[in-house]
Amino acid sequence: MPKLGSQLYLAIDAGPIHDEAGQLIAVVETLRDLTDQKRAEMALKELATKDGLTGLSNRRAFDQMLMSELARAQRTQKPMALLFVDVDHFKLFNDRHGHQSGDECLRAVADVVSRHAVRPLDLASRYGGEEFALILPDMDCDAACAIAEEIRRAVMALRIAHGAVGAGDHVTLSVGVASHIPTEADGSPDRLLGAADEALYAAKRLGRNRVICSERLLAEFACHGREPVPGRTPRKSA
């Protein structure tokens, strides 16, 4: 309804009326306003796919998009990137500043992450707790690492006070990045999830507040004179 600046959702039922000879003589139409019902359905759908605290997509929406983009990447044979973003020493932050401040911190980080999901198929989500995930279709590891570094620097620029023993003065992020072109043998996104997870674990083990790409994992450990920890079980898709 342009003059009112609003939309209505209407349902029209049409029932024919025939005479004794079977000829159509009239049609009875019933118009029903389904606007409230439709808006309730849309709100319910949003609740099912959105994280209540941050407004980002939730784990369910993440899993669905990951499978969808995996299938598309298999067809197009283009790389698909995944970022795992974790707030460093978040439990210590909560212990020091309280859970309300912790929620504010997560919302601030979520805002930064969401600003870097700029293309139509990019998806920023809250993976769980203080961890976020960013799906970046059609992107190689170098480009994804550049975005990850922008996110890390943007959160540092917020200068959210931390100060807990064992943490720095301000809130920082560790980011694991993985990208690969899936083959027909990749029936699930577990390979991509595992690679991004290992990269995130490496970022934490090497001192946090850094971006690690799965393609350069061994080189990063060698640069710091350390050995990767064998036997770590990577996360898998739901």
Side-chain angles (χ1 to χ4, degrees):
M1 302 182 69
K3 291 184 178 180
L4 296 179
S6 62
Q7 291 182 327
L8 297 179
Y9 295 88
L10 306 175
I12 299 176
D13 298 316
I17 298 177
H18 301 90
D19 62 15
E20 294 178 355
Q23 298 295 317
L24 180 66
I25 59 175
V27 175
V28 176
E29 293 185 345
T30 303
L31 189 67
R32 292 178 294 136
D33 185 353
L34 298 181
T35 304
D36 290 342
Q37 177 182 333
K38 187 67 176 179
R39 287 176 178 168
E41 291 174 358
M42 293 169 65
L44 187 61
K45 183 179 180 180
E46 184 171 338
L47 284 174
T49 59
K50 295 292 184 182
D51 174 61
L53 176 65
T54 64
L56 297 183
S57 296
N58 62 15
R59 176 68 182 276
R60 178 183 179 184
F62 169 85
D63 288 336
Q64 291 174 343
M65 177 63 82
L66 193 63
M67 288 300 297
S68 174
E69 285 307 306
L70 176 74
R72 193 175 71 85
Q74 285 174 328
R75 293 193 304 270
T76 62
Q77 283 299 282
K78 292 184 178 180
M80 175 181 175
L82 174 64
L83 275 61
F84 276 137
V85 180
D86 192 89
V87 182
D88 294 329
H89 300 295
F90 186 69
K91 183 181 184 302
L92 296 178
F93 182 93
N94 269 340
D95 292 343
R96 182 178 177 85
H97 299 283
H99 289 280
Q100 183 173 349
S101 294
D103 288 348
E104 293 173 358
C105 173
L106 291 179
R107 280 191 286 264
V109 172
D111 182 61
V112 171
V113 174
S114 67
R115 291 203 305 267
H116 290 78
V118 295
R119 301 174 303 170
L121 293 178
D122 294 346
L123 181 76
S125 64
R126 185 183 181 196
Y127 195 81
E130 69 273 22
E131 192 171 59
F132 302 88
L134 189 58
I135 298 174
L136 299 170
D138 302 337
M139 188 172 293
D140 60 24
C141 209
D142 288 340
C145 281
I147 290 177
E149 183 62 20
E150 289 178 6
I151 292 173
R152 188 188 70 83
R153 290 179 180 273
V155 168
M156 286 187 65
L158 295 176
R159 299 184 67 80
I160 302 172
H162 198 313
V165 176
D169 294 334
H170 299 97
V171 169
T172 59
L173 301 178
S174 295
V175 188
V177 181
S179 176
H180 82 109
I181 301 174
T183 65
E184 293 182 359
D186 292 314
S188 75
D190 291 346
R191 176 183 170 188
L192 185 64
L193 285 166
D197 184 40
E198 287 178 356
L200 175 62
Y201 180 70
K204 288 182 166 295
R205 189 160 179 258
L206 293 174
R208 295 181 169 86
N209 189 23
R210 67 192 63 228
V211 173
I212 297 291
C213 175
S214 63
E215 293 181 357
R216 296 187 286 272
L217 214 72
L218 295 179
E220 290 286 351
F221 275 105
C223 181
H224 290 80
R226 302 183 67 173
E227 292 291 331
V229 176
R232 174 170 165 77
T233 302
R235 72 185 84 198
K236 294 185 177 182
S237 55

